[in-house]
Amino acid sequence: MAQLTYQDLENHYSKFISENSLRKKLVTFWLPDPKYSNLEEDSFLKSKKPKDDLIPLSLGLPNPGFFPIKSMDLHIVDHPFDGKDSKEAHNIASVTKKDPNEMNLPFVLQYGDTKGLSPLLDFIEDFVKSVGNQPLYEEWDTIIANGSNDSLFKIFETLADENTTVMVEEFTFVPVLSAVYGAGAKAIPIKLNIPVVNQNNYQDTIDRPFDIKDEGVDVDYLSDLLDNWSTGPYKHLPKPTLLYTVTTGQNPTGVATYMEKKKKIIELAKIHDFIIIEDDPYGYLRMPKFNRLNPEENLYAMDEFSRKRYLEELMIKSYLSLDDDGRVLRLETFSKVFSPGLRLSFISGNKYLIKQIHDYTDISTRGASSVSQSLVYSTLQTISKRDNKPMVEAWLDWIIQVAKEYTNRRNHILKAAYESESFKKGYFSVIEPSAGMFVDFEINFDSLNGEFSVIEGMNRIEKYFIKNGLGVVLGYKMALDTELSKDHCGLIRTAISFADKPEDLVEAINRLNISCIEFFEKRLESI
Amino acid sequence: MAQLTYQDLENHYSKFISENSLRKKLVTFWLPDPKYSNLEEDSFLKSKKPKDDLIPLSLGLPNPGFFPIKSMDLHIVDHPFDGKDSKEAHNIASVTKKDPNEMNLPFVLQYGDTKGLSPLLDFIEDFVKSVGNQPLYEEWDTIIANGSNDSLFKIFETLADENTTVMVEEFTFVPVLSAVYGAGAKAIPIKLNIPVVNQNNYQDTIDRPFDIKDEGVDVDYLSDLLDNWSTGPYKHLPKPTLLYTVTTGQNPTGVATYMEKKKKIIELAKIHDFIIIEDDPYGYLRMPKFNRLNPEENLYAMDEFSRKRYLEELMIKSYLSLDDDGRVLRLETFSKVFSPGLRLSFISGNKYLIKQIHDYTDISTRGASSVSQSLVYSTLQTISKRDNKPMVEAWLDWIIQVAKEYTNRRNHILKAAYESESFKKGYFSVIEPSAGMFVDFEINFDSLNGEFSVIEGMNRIEKYFIKNGLGVVLGYKMALDTELSKDHCGLIRTAISFADKPEDLVEAINRLNISCIEFFEKRLESI
């Protein structure tokens, strides 16, 4: 462990704090008045024995007796898509008044700490360590927020202002730009390497698969851009201090940035002194490589599969695990692996930066819903007890079950896509995702010989999708600079998460296929 | 109803929007591209019949089958401090998958609207109307936030910047200053009329009680300050555009501003063109006048008490009910009448201003915890069914039960205070609260002939409180300008909310009494 102190962190990272957030400090009325900190007790008082039961009329809290709910029972499922509606005792998470556990109902319904409720924070810390994602220094911390949108908002408010340039992946979760622009900052795109399977390279890439080392952030582009900033395309902007990256199952492209590149990017971050904001909502939903020769193969479903293999062969570790000087902020969320309605996320990073986000939280949202925190914690506690394993293992096993189902869905949609007439005719290509909720395709307009621009083409073919009953996201709308990303403007993002069953995805591909054939063939016939 | 349109509101109130919030706009990727809005369908497509079952692969939502909880049972109490732990069917609020009600579990655990879940919003609107708090114009709206701290933060971020002066009551909930200063704005104090009962006027004020019309915001001070701004004490600051007021059961003083004054303040707001931010967390916890001749008297406990009497004789209506041009924003919270751990509050006001707060919410927190919203809604629904009355009536009856218990506590503490030796000797005075969670006392240092300043005195006597096992808040720490508020710097705030039972408050007064006697008598003897 590096001997990095809080003071070291403050010395280095205070220059990153935004103008706007510097004045976001809590004004209190409950602390001792510093003017009178040296006031001595009167001589009479000195001889008096203090009472040991304080009546705390200073606290503006309601007594739990005023709360209208006395207990709460949560009925837990055995596995995702568990159709049973039984109420076995071992599947009930009870949150009661008398419960000896740390998260009893009066505690849950009361005001909670800004940072989060400590049992859940302790679990999170244990979990981060158990999957090997903790940083290489000791002075790190975690704060809970109200979903990753809130995490992002607080991070950019804290670290960005009119003098800030933020690097984001060329295709990105564009609502993040609201937070960047909202803080007054500018965003610039960083190229991604996006491996695309088309009819031409289909066979080749079975024999010689894409090297995953190449996938994700284009490190050469990034390095070149930063090394030659003063003569580059964005020389009119301040040199970037922040890199925002969705590292695994990238939204929208589905690609990942693997460890070898992460190491290089951390080195660049040190050289050029920027902070890495690693947004990883999909990281745990990692997918084994798609086996085109055996499309049903699902590593998660195999007998020999284990948590150990998941951690060693599948999960891509966080930038945090490579961070020895505190320049990584990692965002996770319970939205994708538990439920979005909780509005629960968390941020881990160096204690100085987390303290600044904590200060911002103190004066804005304060702690996230304790009820939501209780739902997560009590569920974890119950599945841990039910399955007779530690909470971190029980939770990882749940995540693995979710990832297994996503992999199954990925298998269905890719198999159907590769078998479709349109793929074979070269009308669209496929991006095999590394993880997460999205499988992307790219429409190939080459055969139209420039009849219209790719973007116009996308808006035209979208009408075919809709008429055929298929809703997708046009990827170019998630590009920061469609000129820079012109090679991939034919991208469509499909979410495999919301469908009721994997077979719906096969039907979706059927509709994609029909739309392409109609667009590329029948449309022309009718002209 | 005034014929105020959205455009009228925008025309008038757009000048109030802060620099900082103007750039807080959501960047989306799911809307149609305006460049191609006129793109026609190809002739082939025109003749094609559209499919009527869309497969929405555009939505990045998890299917509810991925959620680990299948249902939730809430066990509701019969009344505050209900000791029973029985689980009668009529007291169970079940949130299930199949439940036909609008708030079934898959809905609750999914992403929700930024503004709030519509069943709860509908209830809130019904409730606001049923108690007569809706404004005199039609274009008003409500948005849910993550507790009133979050409401305040969003309001000040939206309406305040470096060019803004905010008027606040001379004693106030000072954490609100975090939001004011955090937005870059200045705050100035407005005098309050605080009726104080001391040994000298005790009998007089039984015969001729204080006129409640005088209580609360000092309208003459406010009017004079604004009329003579350019020559007044704050002439170096921009003229105020915002008044922040905790209208009923004011924190910390416990006073209220009644309707007659509210009318005058609304008139001043029109003349001087400022917005009124009415923070009313305690308003429903209204207390009938304390009967010094019959201290146990509790109007809420009387047979003849009714919701009608509560609304007509007790509840002080909102500034909103007087607002015909959209200049009031009202804040309510579920923290004091349901539970703080929910982190649920709401803001009502004109649609243009609510839209700005909505925009801010879209890019920061997004919607509040749906789980918390579900807890409130399902509880209301269950007590409505159990008690066989509409939800708004069932909820008002719950509030009345809470207010009854607070009144009972108020009776206990005031009776003990007035009977205490220290009160009779003039060591402290009493402020009889209008509502809420706080009862204040004022330490009288007159007998010490200026031995030290009141503030030093407060820090000295606090040591006696602590040694005697009593925690209070020193009121001067909640004053904006202790010089302006010097007549009331002896104020202490006691919260009657957190004690387990009313008798604890009697013991607290016993400790206050002992502390005063020790401070004013034994201390002197020992010198």
Side-chain angles (χ1 to χ4, degrees):
Chain A
M1 286 272 175
Q3 292 300 312
L4 207 56
T5 67
Y6 186 87
Q7 192 57 54
D8 293 335
L9 294 166
E10 177 165 352
N11 290 347
H12 188 77
Y13 293 101
S14 58
K15 66 172 181 284
F16 288 89
I17 307 305
S18 74
E19 281 292 320
N20 179 32
S21 78
L22 285 175
R23 57 188 187 210
K24 296 279 196 284
K25 301 288 174 206
L26 188 62
V27 184
T28 64
F29 58 85
W30 49 85
L31 298 175
D33 190 331
K35 271 195 213 147
Y36 298 97
S37 59
N38 292 322
L39 197 65
E40 282 200 16
E41 279 192 350
D42 294 322
S43 54
F44 165 79
L45 257 195
K46 277 185 184 149
S47 60
K48 195 174 146 83
K49 200 168 146 267
K51 258 208 178 291
D52 50 12
D53 68 320
L54 185 80
I55 303 183
L57 299 196
S58 46
L59 300 176
L61 314 178
N63 186 286
F66 288 110
F67 303 155
I69 297 177
K70 61 185 158 196
S71 65
M72 179 164 77
D73 289 340
L74 309 173
H75 303 282
I76 313 294
V77 300
D78 275 325
H79 52 79
F81 295 87
D82 178 5
K84 293 194 311 293
D85 209 14
S86 58
K87 297 191 172 181
E88 307 87 354
H90 65 263
N91 262 336
I92 296 179
S94 282
V95 189
T96 68
K97 184 177 164 187
K98 290 173 191 155
D99 201 326
N101 84 49
E102 318 88 312
M103 292 282 252
N104 63 63
L105 199 66
F107 174 73
V108 165
L109 292 179
Q110 194 52 273
Y111 285 103
D113 280 352
T114 293
K115 201 179 156 192
L117 302 183
S118 56
L120 185 60
L121 280 167
D122 290 347
F123 164 77
I124 289 170
E125 191 181 319
D126 285 351
F127 189 77
V128 167
K129 286 179 182 170
S130 76
V131 299
N133 273 348
Q134 79 272 34
L136 299 167
Y137 60 93
E138 281 179 10
E139 289 285 298
W140 65 284
D141 209 349
T142 292
I143 185 168
I144 290 175
N146 304 271
S148 277
N149 209 71
D150 184 50
S151 298
L152 287 167
F153 177 76
K154 285 168 177 164
I155 286 174
F156 286 110
E157 285 286 299
T158 301
L159 297 177
D161 58 27
E162 285 85 348
N163 304 311
T164 310
T165 303
V166 183
M167 299 179 284
V168 307
E169 286 145 339
E170 57 173 320
F171 290 94
T172 193
F173 175 62
V174 292
V176 78
L177 299 175
S178 320
V180 173
Y181 302 154
K186 303 285 189 303
I188 61 162
I190 300 299
K191 290 287 286 175
L192 287 169
N193 286 322
I194 306 170
V196 174
V197 183
N198 54 42
Q199 184 51 16
N200 297 328
N201 68 12
Y202 180 82
Q203 194 56 48
D204 272 8
T205 53
I206 292 178
D207 303 335
R208 284 170 291 124
F210 292 118
D211 190 342
I212 56 169
K213 288 201 308 291
D214 295 333
E215 195 176 315
V217 172
D218 185 333
V219 177
D220 294 336
Y221 178 90
L222 177 64
S223 169
D224 188 55
L225 183 74
L226 292 167
D227 284 344
N228 303 294
W229 187 261
S230 59
T231 56
Y234 310 110
K235 60 186 179 195
H236 56 290
L237 298 176
K239 207 172 166 189
T241 52
L242 303 172
L243 167 66
Y244 169 75
T245 169
V246 186
T247 31
T248 315
Q250 205 263 349
N251 186 357
T253 63
V255 301
T257 298
Y258 290 83
M259 293 314 276
E260 194 166 320
K261 274 196 182 177
K262 284 188 174 180
K263 283 176 193 160
K264 289 184 187 164
I265 293 167
I266 283 260
E267 286 314 307
L268 286 175
K270 286 183 180 182
I271 295 168
H272 297 283
D273 204 8
F274 60 85
I275 289 172
I276 297 169
I277 300 165
E278 175 185 60
D279 189 7
D280 201 11
Y282 315 108
Y284 296 121
L285 305 178
R286 185 78 170 90
M287 290 165 182
K289 175 128 193 72
F290 180 66
N291 185 344
R292 291 187 219 154
L293 302 176
N294 181 14
E296 278 88 22
E297 181 181 287
N298 189 338
L299 182 60
Y300 289 112
M302 293 181 183
D303 286 343
E304 64 269 30
F305 191 73
S306 64
R307 280 191 299 276
K308 190 161 175 287
R309 283 192 69 176
Y310 174 84
L311 294 176
E312 288 173 4
E313 295 172 31
L314 280 178
M315 203 192 82
I316 305 170
K317 282 191 187 176
S318 167
Y319 277 103
L320 271 184
S321 71
L322 304 169
D323 183 15
D324 62 7
D325 74 345
R327 60 180 65 252
V328 176
L329 284 172
R330 174 173 167 83
L331 284 78
E332 292 195 31
T333 175
F334 286 102
S335 291
K336 317 302 180 192
V337 282
F338 197 111
S339 115
L342 300 166
R343 311 311 304 129
L344 271 192
S345 60
F346 56 92
I347 310 167
S348 301
N350 87 54
K351 278 194 178 171
Y352 172 74
L353 292 178
I354 296 295
K355 166 78 165 63
Q356 309 313 308
I357 296 165
H358 189 296
D359 285 351
Y360 200 99
T361 306
D362 258 341
I363 80 152
S364 56
T365 55
R366 295 171 54 171
S369 163
S370 299
V371 176
S372 290
Q373 295 183 64
S374 153
L375 237 67
V376 171
Y377 190 80
S378 302
T379 299
L380 295 179
Q381 212 174 30
T382 303
I383 59 173
S384 160
K385 206 172 155 189
R386 175 192 73 192
D387 300 344
N388 195 27
K389 49 183 103 147
M391 277 168 76
V392 292
E393 291 182 12
W395 180 234
L396 192 54
D397 280 346
W398 170 260
I399 285 172
I400 284 171
Q401 289 185 74
V402 174
K404 174 181 160 190
E405 174 60 22
Y406 274 105
T407 300
N408 181 34
R409 287 168 174 237
R410 187 271 322 256
N411 289 351
H412 274 77
I413 197 166
L414 287 192
K415 176 172 187 283
Y418 284 135
E419 286 174 354
S420 73
E421 184 184 341
S422 288
F423 176 76
K424 290 176 180 166
K425 285 184 165 169
Y427 296 151
F428 71 82
S429 312
V430 172
I431 300 167
E432 297 186 357
S434 61
M437 296 169 35
F438 307 115
V439 175
D440 285 18
F441 304 101
E442 266 185 30
I443 307 296
N444 302 323
F445 293 95
D446 298 349
S447 64
L448 299 179
N449 286 320
E451 190 187 337
F452 30 64
S453 72
V454 171
I455 291 178
E456 183 178 332
M458 292 303 286
N459 280 278
R460 286 185 177 273
I461 198 169
E462 190 185 31
K463 293 186 188 293
Y464 288 73
F465 298 151
I466 292 166
K467 208 135 194 180
N468 285 311
L470 175 64
V472 302
V473 169
L474 302 188
Y476 81 86
K477 295 182 184 175
M478 302 182 74
L480 213 64
D481 176 350
T482 50
E483 186 51 34
L484 182 91
S485 301
K486 63 179 186 299
D487 291 347
H488 294 293
C489 276
L491 195 138
I492 61 174
R493 189 194 83 171
T494 72
I496 59 173
S497 51
F498 193 59
D500 279 332
K501 46 190 194 305
E503 291 70 26
D504 295 352
L505 301 172
V506 176
E507 171 59 19
I509 290 295
N510 182 34
R511 295 178 183 189
L512 173 66
N513 179 51
I514 290 169
S515 301
C516 287
I517 288 171
E518 287 178 350
F519 179 77
F520 285 103
E521 299 178 10
K522 300 202 177 162
R523 183 184 66 90
L524 293 177
E525 288 164 19
S526 79
I527 289 175
Chain B
M1 287 273 174
Q3 292 302 315
L4 209 56
T5 66
Y6 186 87
Q7 193 56 54
D8 293 335
L9 293 166
E10 178 165 351
N11 290 346
H12 189 75
Y13 293 101
S14 58
K15 66 173 182 283
F16 288 89
I17 307 306
S18 73
E19 281 291 320
N20 178 33
S21 78
L22 285 174
R23 57 189 187 210
K24 298 277 196 285
K25 302 287 175 207
L26 188 63
V27 184
T28 64
F29 58 85
W30 49 84
L31 297 176
D33 191 328
K35 271 194 214 149
Y36 298 96
S37 59
N38 294 320
L39 198 64
E40 281 199 19
E41 277 191 351
D42 293 322
S43 54
F44 166 78
L45 256 194
K46 277 186 185 147
S47 60
K48 195 175 147 81
K49 200 168 148 263
K51 259 209 178 293
D52 50 12
D53 68 320
L54 186 79
I55 303 182
L57 300 194
S58 46
L59 300 176
L61 315 176
N63 186 287
F66 288 110
F67 303 155
I69 297 178
K70 60 184 156 194
S71 65
M72 177 164 78
D73 289 339
L74 310 172
H75 303 282
I76 313 295
V77 300
D78 275 326
H79 51 79
F81 294 88
D82 178 4
K84 295 192 313 291
D85 209 13
S86 59
K87 297 191 172 180
E88 306 88 354
H90 65 264
N91 263 338
I92 297 180
S94 281
V95 189
T96 67
K97 184 179 164 186
K98 290 170 192 158
D99 202 326
N101 85 50
E102 319 87 312
M103 293 281 252
N104 62 62
L105 200 65
F107 175 73
V108 165
L109 293 179
Q110 193 52 273
Y111 284 103
D113 279 352
T114 294
K115 200 179 157 190
L117 302 183
S118 56
L120 185 59
L121 280 168
D122 289 346
F123 164 77
I124 289 171
E125 191 181 319
D126 286 350
F127 190 77
V128 167
K129 287 179 182 169
S130 76
V131 300
N133 274 348
Q134 80 273 35
L136 299 168
Y137 59 94
E138 279 179 10
E139 288 286 299
W140 65 283
D141 209 347
T142 293
I143 186 167
I144 289 175
N146 304 272
S148 276
N149 209 73
D150 184 50
S151 298
L152 286 167
F153 176 75
K154 286 169 177 163
I155 286 175
F156 285 111
E157 286 286 300
T158 301
L159 297 177
D161 57 27
E162 286 85 350
N163 304 311
T164 309
T165 304
V166 183
M167 300 179 283
V168 307
E169 287 145 338
E170 57 173 320
F171 291 94
T172 193
F173 175 63
V174 293
V176 77
L177 299 175
S178 320
V180 173
Y181 302 155
K186 304 287 188 304
I188 61 162
I190 300 299
K191 291 286 286 177
L192 287 169
N193 286 321
I194 305 170
V196 174
V197 183
N198 55 42
Q199 183 52 18
N200 296 328
N201 69 11
Y202 180 80
Q203 194 57 49
D204 272 8
T205 53
I206 292 179
D207 303 337
R208 283 170 292 124
F210 292 118
D211 189 342
I212 56 169
K213 287 202 307 291
D214 295 333
E215 197 176 313
V217 172
D218 186 333
V219 177
D220 294 337
Y221 178 90
L222 178 64
S223 168
D224 189 55
L225 184 74
L226 292 167
D227 284 344
N228 302 294
W229 186 262
S230 60
T231 56
Y234 310 110
K235 61 185 178 195
H236 57 290
L237 298 176
K239 206 170 165 190
T241 52
L242 302 172
L243 168 66
Y244 169 75
T245 170
V246 186
T247 30
T248 314
Q250 204 264 348
N251 186 357
T253 63
V255 301
T257 298
Y258 290 84
M259 292 314 276
E260 193 165 323
K261 274 195 181 177
K262 284 188 172 178
K263 284 177 193 162
K264 289 183 187 166
I265 293 167
I266 284 260
E267 286 314 306
L268 286 175
K270 286 184 179 182
I271 294 168
H272 297 284
D273 204 9
F274 60 84
I275 289 173
I276 297 169
I277 300 165
E278 176 184 60
D279 188 7
D280 201 12
Y282 315 110
Y284 295 121
L285 305 178
R286 185 77 172 91
M287 291 164 181
K289 174 130 194 70
F290 179 66
N291 185 345
R292 292 188 217 153
L293 302 176
N294 181 14
E296 278 88 23
E297 182 181 287
N298 189 338
L299 181 61
Y300 288 112
M302 293 180 184
D303 285 343
E304 64 269 30
F305 190 73
S306 63
R307 282 192 299 274
K308 191 162 175 285
R309 283 191 70 176
Y310 174 84
L311 293 175
E312 287 173 3
E313 296 171 31
L314 280 179
M315 203 194 83
I316 306 171
K317 282 190 187 176
S318 166
Y319 275 103
L320 271 186
S321 71
L322 303 168
D323 184 15
D324 62 7
D325 74 344
R327 59 181 64 251
V328 176
L329 285 173
R330 174 173 168 83
L331 284 79
E332 292 195 33
T333 174
F334 287 102
S335 292
K336 318 301 181 192
V337 283
F338 197 111
S339 116
L342 299 167
R343 312 310 303 129
L344 270 194
S345 60
F346 56 92
I347 310 169
S348 301
N350 86 55
K351 278 192 177 170
Y352 172 75
L353 292 178
I354 297 295
K355 166 77 165 63
Q356 309 313 305
I357 296 164
H358 189 294
D359 284 351
Y360 200 99
T361 306
D362 258 340
I363 80 152
S364 55
T365 56
R366 296 172 51 171
S369 162
S370 299
V371 176
S372 291
Q373 295 183 65
S374 152
L375 238 66
V376 170
Y377 190 81
S378 302
T379 299
L380 295 179
Q381 211 174 31
T382 302
I383 60 173
S384 160
K385 205 171 157 192
R386 176 191 73 192
D387 301 344
N388 195 27
K389 50 182 102 147
M391 277 169 76
V392 292
E393 291 182 13
W395 181 233
L396 193 54
D397 281 345
W398 170 260
I399 286 172
I400 284 171
Q401 289 186 74
V402 174
K404 174 181 160 189
E405 174 60 22
Y406 274 105
T407 300
N408 181 34
R409 287 168 175 239
R410 187 272 320 257
N411 290 350
H412 274 79
I413 198 168
L414 287 192
K415 176 172 187 283
Y418 284 136
E419 286 173 354
S420 74
E421 185 183 339
S422 288
F423 175 77
K424 289 176 181 167
K425 284 181 166 170
Y427 297 151
F428 72 82
S429 311
V430 172
I431 300 167
E432 296 186 357
S434 60
M437 295 170 36
F438 307 115
V439 175
D440 285 18
F441 304 101
E442 265 186 32
I443 308 296
N444 301 321
F445 292 95
D446 298 349
S447 64
L448 300 177
N449 286 320
E451 189 187 337
F452 31 63
S453 72
V454 171
I455 291 178
E456 182 177 333
M458 292 302 287
N459 279 278
R460 286 185 176 274
I461 198 170
E462 189 185 30
K463 293 185 186 294
Y464 288 73
F465 298 151
I466 291 166
K467 208 138 195 177
N468 285 311
L470 174 65
V472 301
V473 169
L474 303 187
Y476 81 85
K477 294 181 183 175
M478 302 182 76
L480 212 66
D481 176 351
T482 51
E483 186 51 34
L484 182 91
S485 300
K486 63 179 185 297
D487 292 347
H488 294 293
C489 276
L491 195 140
I492 61 175
R493 190 193 82 171
T494 71
I496 60 173
S497 50
F498 192 60
D500 279 331
K501 47 189 192 305
E503 292 70 26
D504 296 352
L505 301 172
V506 176
E507 172 58 19
I509 290 295
N510 182 33
R511 294 176 184 190
L512 172 66
N513 178 52
I514 291 168
S515 301
C516 287
I517 288 171
E518 287 178 351
F519 179 78
F520 284 103
E521 299 178 10
K522 300 201 177 162
R523 182 185 67 89
L524 293 177
E525 285 164 19
S526 78
I527 290 176

